[in-house]
Amino acid sequence: MNYVLALILPPLSILLTGRPFTAIFVFLIWIPAILFTGGLTHPMFVLLAWILIYQSNEDRRMRKYGRADDD
């Protein structure tokens, strides 16, 4: 669901991944970027949100299962 939210509101999606400072920073850049470019930069913020969501999910998975040692 967070990936779908990232399509509409990338800063809120980033906030829900547990990164409040990044979300505020992205929001402060996202609003003027949307207004000045007419939405042309929106895919860049969606991509950033998707990467952060994926990274958050991977971190959660690593904490749950532990690091797999190949030794």
Side-chain angles (χ1 to χ4, degrees), residues 3-64:
Y3 286 102
V4 176
L5 181 62
L7 289 171
I8 302 166
L9 295 169
L12 180 60
S13 179
I14 293 170
L15 181 65
L16 292 177
T17 63
R19 298 174 182 256
F21 297 113
T22 305
I24 292 168
F25 182 72
V26 167
F27 180 76
L28 293 175
I29 295 173
W30 180 64
I31 293 296
I34 294 297
L35 294 175
F36 292 136
T37 65
L40 293 176
T41 58
H42 185 72
M44 176 182 66
F45 292 102
V46 171
L47 184 62
L48 172 65
W50 282 353
I51 290 169
L52 292 175
I53 294 166
Y54 177 78
Q55 184 180 19
S56 174
N57 291 340
E58 285 296 313
D59 290 344
R60 187 178 309 123
R61 189 175 300 126
M62 280 295 180
R63 281 193 308 270
K64 182 177 180 181

Side-chain angles (χ1 to χ4, degrees), residues 62 65-71:
M62 280 295 180
Y65 297 116
R67 174 171 254 158
D69 292 329
D70 293 331
D71 295 336

